[in-house]
């Protein structure tokens, strides 16, 4: 027997339509590249998105055609997002921070027909244009007055292109399993892989985000997604905010601490989301200027583990709670979220902070487990390290144009992370499987060691890699970026770490560098560090 309920397709345009109808006058505030700050409403956004969808259809974009964007978080990017997916196309967000050859690869692999771009990327596009095989034209996301002088042969103005569409265009009823979005992994090894989201998977992901134990947003909130829309769809924020009616603030290209702080104060931001490297700059600015975070009481941190010291600083000095999150492009991206429970609130202050440093519990819709090298499931005891596997309705089944499924026979996707899960269900990433340090048959978590080291007041950033060792196979090298004017010795660092990590985890040496390399999505680039230090020999200063 089937249920007797209405069968409305789960489509991403439902969110912007809902925002336009039920939160019509709620603002979207954008910092543009060349036109200053722009303000309008969800009702305006829906109307312009419909017109753009009509313009794309009139141009000749058909169902499942890929249309790319290379843009910052701004209102035109939102419109393009909804327009492309809403008329049946596939919105392909390109990460401009990738190497040019990687951008060429993914644009050609996706077979993008059009490319919407911010003015920032004119030089990049001019350089790679001869290598793009399928892109027919570039639509610059600006008005006629700010169109760039460019060598590109086929360019259009966004506002002029928009006017070729019908303002009364109705959102079509699509199959909810139709492809809607395409994001490529950052490709730290080999070519990036495409993850093709469906209308249904993106909607279910949004519902999961909206739960009180996840983002927990409402129409009383003002949200600043600092995480770019080209980084796993800004973690879904542009779908979530119209769904709940929250004010949306889009920061554009200027992500300095000063610029972000001004937006937070001027617009009354209550919630933000970004990677740790962004918050390092923002916290430094606030500390140096003696300011606070105004109405902001909550920030989501993901992309890489938030250092314990950062979580403490946000909470104790500024009254901002950090919601630790974990996920990946292959998961749309949300997998776990860290929100206090009755059990954690019964812990003392140190115990609560210990739990807050973990990546959190599985979001409803996601299942997870940890296994040993032979595939045997490990216990949730908080100490057993294992390979983290996930499955669920917004987890990848197969990569775009892939020949084989990316999951095992039971539907489990191997994330490539090594993790523990405690008896309360809180998961903690201890390493990437390729980054874990294996010393004398035991595993050392480079992430835990990094987070312990960065708590030192002289340290700005830390990274840990394994260096070959004749006796122990590998031993940790601690790579440090110091705060301005600061220095540190190995002995001093070992003394600091001795009460924070196991003795056999202590690094055999430290290396001071001016800068730690990062991937296009803000993660520490361990491959580059291992290449730089591949001939490194530990000093004899090692303190026992």
């Amino acid at each position: 027997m089937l249920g007797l309920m209405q069968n409305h397709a789960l489509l991403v345009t439902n969110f912007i339509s809902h925002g336009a109808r039920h939160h019509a006058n709620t603002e979207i505030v954008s910092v543009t590249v060349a036109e200053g700050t722009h303000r309008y409403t969800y009702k305006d956004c829906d109307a312009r998105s419909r017109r753009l969808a009509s313009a794309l259809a009139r141009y000749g974009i058909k169902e499942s055609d890929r249309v790319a964007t290379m843009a910052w978080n701004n209102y035109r990017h939102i419109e393009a997002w909804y327009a492309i997916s809403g008329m049946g196309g596939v919105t392909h967000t390109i990460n401009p921070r990738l190497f040019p050859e990687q951008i060429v690869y993914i644009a050609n692999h996706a077979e993008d027909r059009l490319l919407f771009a911010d003015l920032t990327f004119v030089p990049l596009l001019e350089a790679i244009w001869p290598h793009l095989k399928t892109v027919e034209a570039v639509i610059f996301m600006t008005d006629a007055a700010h169109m760039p002088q460019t060598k590109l042969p086929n360019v259009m103005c966004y506002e002029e292109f928009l006017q070729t569409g019908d303002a009364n265009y109705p959102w079509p009823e699509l199959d909810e399993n139709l492809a809607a979005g395409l994001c490529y992994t950052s490709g730290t090894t080999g070519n990036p892989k495409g993850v093709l989201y469906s209308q249904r998977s993106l909607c279910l992901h949004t519902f999961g985000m909206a739960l009180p134990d996840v983002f927990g947003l409402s129409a009383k909130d003002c949200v600043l997604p600092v995480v770019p829309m080209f980084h796993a769809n800004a973690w879904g924020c542009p779908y979530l905010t119209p769904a709940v009616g929250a004010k949306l603030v889009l920061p554009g290209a200027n992500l300095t601490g000063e610029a972000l702080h001004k937006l937070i104060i001027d617009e009354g931001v209550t919630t933000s989301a970004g990677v740790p490297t962004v918050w390092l700059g923002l916290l430094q600015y606030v500390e140096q200027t003696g300011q606070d975070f105004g109405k902001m009481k909550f920030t989501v941190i993901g992309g890489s583990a938030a250092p314990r010291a950062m979580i403490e600083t946000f909470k104790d000095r500024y009254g901002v709670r950090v919601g630790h999150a974990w996920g990946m492009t292959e998961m749309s991206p949300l997998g776990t979220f860290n929100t206090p429970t009755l059990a954690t609130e019964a812990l003392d202050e140190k115990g609560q902070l210990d739990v807050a440093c973990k990546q959190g519990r599985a979001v409803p819709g996601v299942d997870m487990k940890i296994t040993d090298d032979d595939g045997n499931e490990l216990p949730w005891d908080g100490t057993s390290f294992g390979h983290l596997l996930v499955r669920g309705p917004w987890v990848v089944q197969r990569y775009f144009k892939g020949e084989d499924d990316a999951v095992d026979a039971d539907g489990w996707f191997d994330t490539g992370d090594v993790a523990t899960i405690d008896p309360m269900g809180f998961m903690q990433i201890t390493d990437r499987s390729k980054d874990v340090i294996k010393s004398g048959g035991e595993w050392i978590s480079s992430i835990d060691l990094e987070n312990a080291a960065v708590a030192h007041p002289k340290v700005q950033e830390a990274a840990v890699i394994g260096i070959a060792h004749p006796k122990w196979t590998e031993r940790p090298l601690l790579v440090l970026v110091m705060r301005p004017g600061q220095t540190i010795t190995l002995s001093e660092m070992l003394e600091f770490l001795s009460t924070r990590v196991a003795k056999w985890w202590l690094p055999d040496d430290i290396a001071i560098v001016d800068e730690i390399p990062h991937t296009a999505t803000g993660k520490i680039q361990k491959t580059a560090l291992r290449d730089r230090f591949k001939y490194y020999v530990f000093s004899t200063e090692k303190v026992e």
Side-chain angles (χ1 to χ4, degrees):
M1 180 183 294
L2 298 178
L4 301 176
M5 308 304 290
Q6 295 182 22
N7 186 18
H8 290 272
L10 297 175
L11 305 175
V12 294
T13 48
N14 294 346
F15 299 128
I16 193 61
S17 294
H18 176 84
R21 183 171 176 83
H22 299 285
H23 305 282
N25 296 317
T26 299
E27 274 191 318
I28 300 176
V29 181
S30 296
V31 178
T32 66
V33 171
E35 302 161 57
T37 300
H38 177 274
R39 297 175 184 273
Y40 72 168
T41 66
Y42 282 126
K43 184 177 181 180
D44 299 326
C45 181
D46 180 63
R48 282 172 54 93
S49 299
R50 290 172 186 265
R51 185 186 284 272
L52 182 59
S54 171
L56 288 166
R58 289 180 174 180
Y59 174 85
I61 298 299
K62 302 184 296 297
E63 188 174 288
S64 297
D65 280 350
R66 275 75 69 196
V67 176
T69 66
M70 188 183 291
W72 303 104
N73 293 9
N74 60 62
Y75 75 102
R76 290 188 179 106
H77 200 177
I78 294 280
E79 292 167 3
W81 235 29
Y82 278 111
I84 298 163
S85 300
M87 56 81 64
V90 178
T91 307
H92 173 205
T93 52
I94 294 178
N95 185 343
R97 295 169 178 163
L98 294 173
F99 294 118
E101 56 268 26
Q102 291 179 317
I103 294 174
V104 169
Y105 171 82
I106 65 175
N108 290 337
H109 187 266
E111 299 179 80
D112 296 320
R113 289 191 56 193
L114 293 175
L115 196 159
F116 287 88
D118 265 332
L119 299 175
T120 313
F121 307 114
V122 172
L124 172 59
L125 289 171
E126 287 179 339
I128 66 174
W129 179 261
H131 308 288
L132 299 179
K133 299 176 181 178
T134 61
V135 177
E136 299 163 15
V138 175
I139 301 172
F140 281 111
M141 302 168 86
T142 188
D143 58 15
H146 293 89
M147 279 294 287
Q149 295 293 321
T150 177
K151 303 172 184 176
L152 293 168
N154 301 318
V155 297
M156 291 184 274
C157 168
Y158 182 97
E159 292 298 328
E160 292 177 351
F161 183 77
L162 183 71
Q163 294 308 310
T164 65
D166 181 359
N168 298 312
Y169 177 83
W171 291 123
E173 286 293 323
L174 305 170
D175 184 332
E176 66 179 27
N177 291 302
L178 191 68
L182 179 61
C183 287
Y184 280 73
T185 61
S186 54
T188 54
T189 56
N191 287 320
K193 297 177 181 178
V195 183
L196 191 63
Y197 310 122
S198 68
Q199 298 273 351
R200 176 179 181 271
S201 71
L202 290 174
C203 287
L204 292 174
H205 181 265
T206 303
F207 296 147
M209 290 181 66
L211 294 170
D213 269 357
V214 191
F215 274 66
L217 298 178
S218 75
K220 296 182 292 185
D221 284 301
C222 175
V223 183
L224 172 67
V226 182
V227 58
M229 291 168 64
F230 52 73
H231 184 179
N233 289 339
W235 301 344
C237 289
Y239 296 129
L240 177 60
T241 47
V244 301
K247 177 180 175 181
L248 180 60
V249 180
L250 302 168
N254 188 353
L255 303 182
T256 63
E258 181 177 5
L260 292 175
H261 183 262
K262 186 176 189 306
L263 281 176
I264 289 168
I265 300 301
D266 290 353
E267 301 301 332
V269 170
T270 62
T271 301
S272 190
V275 298
T277 48
V278 168
W279 300 131
L280 280 172
L282 181 59
L283 282 171
Q284 286 174 6
Y285 173 78
V286 173
E287 289 170 3
Q288 290 167 1
T289 57
Q291 302 191 66
D292 59 24
F293 284 91
K295 295 180 179 179
M296 191 171 106
K297 299 301 177 186
F298 181 49
T299 184
V300 181
I301 298 183
S304 57
R308 186 186 186 95
M310 180 180 289
I311 296 174
E312 283 185 294
T313 300
F314 265 122
K315 175 180 175 291
D316 297 339
R317 195 174 302 176
Y318 301 107
V320 177
R321 181 172 72 86
V322 169
H324 222 166
W326 168 84
M328 54 199 313
T329 304
E330 289 89 342
M331 299 180 69
S332 307
L334 194 60
T336 65
F337 205 91
N338 194 320
T339 305
T341 66
L342 287 174
T344 64
E345 288 185 341
L347 301 172
D348 61 19
E349 188 172 345
K350 178 183 179 299
Q352 290 184 27
L353 184 58
D354 289 342
V355 175
C357 290
K358 299 183 179 185
Q359 278 63 54
R361 294 171 292 138
V363 175
V366 173
D367 195 9
M368 63 183 182
K369 66 177 180 179
I370 50 174
T371 67
D372 62 19
D373 289 340
D374 296 321
N376 301 307
E377 187 166 357
L378 297 173
W380 292 18
D381 56 15
T383 58
S384 298
F385 290 66
H387 301 282
L388 180 62
L389 278 66
V390 296
R391 63 182 179 186
W394 60 75
V395 179
V396 69
Q397 173 76 21
R398 178 182 299 180
Y399 289 107
F400 181 51
K401 295 186 178 180
E403 296 182 358
D404 301 313
D405 282 350
V407 298
D408 66 18
D410 296 318
W412 290 98
F413 174 73
D414 188 340
T415 66
D417 283 320
V418 175
T420 65
I421 306 176
D422 69 21
M424 295 182 292
F426 284 82
M427 183 272 290
Q428 183 169 20
I429 301 293
T430 59
D431 234 319
R432 293 290 290 168
S433 58
K434 61 178 181 267
D435 294 334
V436 70
I437 299 168
K438 296 180 180 178
S439 179
E442 299 289 345
W443 285 4
I444 297 175
S445 167
S446 68
I447 293 175
D448 285 351
L449 192 48
E450 288 160 2
N451 287 339
V454 84
H456 195 290
K458 292 183 178 181
V459 174
Q460 180 169 306
E461 192 174 13
V464 173
I465 57 173
I467 297 293
H469 191 280
K471 180 177 180 181
W472 302 110
T473 306
E474 281 186 321
R475 290 296 298 160
L477 171 68
L478 177 59
V479 183
L480 300 172
V481 176
M482 306 306 298
R483 290 182 180 272
Q486 300 293 328
T487 60
I488 197 169
T489 64
L490 174 61
S491 299
E492 185 180 354
M493 178 53 73
L494 292 178
E495 182 180 357
F496 178 80
L497 293 174
S498 62
T499 60
R500 291 167 169 80
V501 300
K503 182 179 180 180
W504 56 275
W505 281 27
L506 292 175
D508 279 36
D509 211 345
I510 60 173
I512 310 298
V513 298
D514 293 331
E515 183 180 15
I516 289 174
H518 292 84
T519 69
T521 51
K523 296 181 177 69
I524 293 173
Q525 197 170 32
K526 298 288 182 74
T527 52
L529 283 177
R530 282 194 289 266
D531 185 61
R532 175 174 176 178
F533 291 99
K534 62 184 176 183
Y535 300 118
Y536 192 88
V537 177
F538 285 119
S539 71
T540 57
E541 190 198 341
K542 170 69 171 150
V543 178
E544 297 297 338

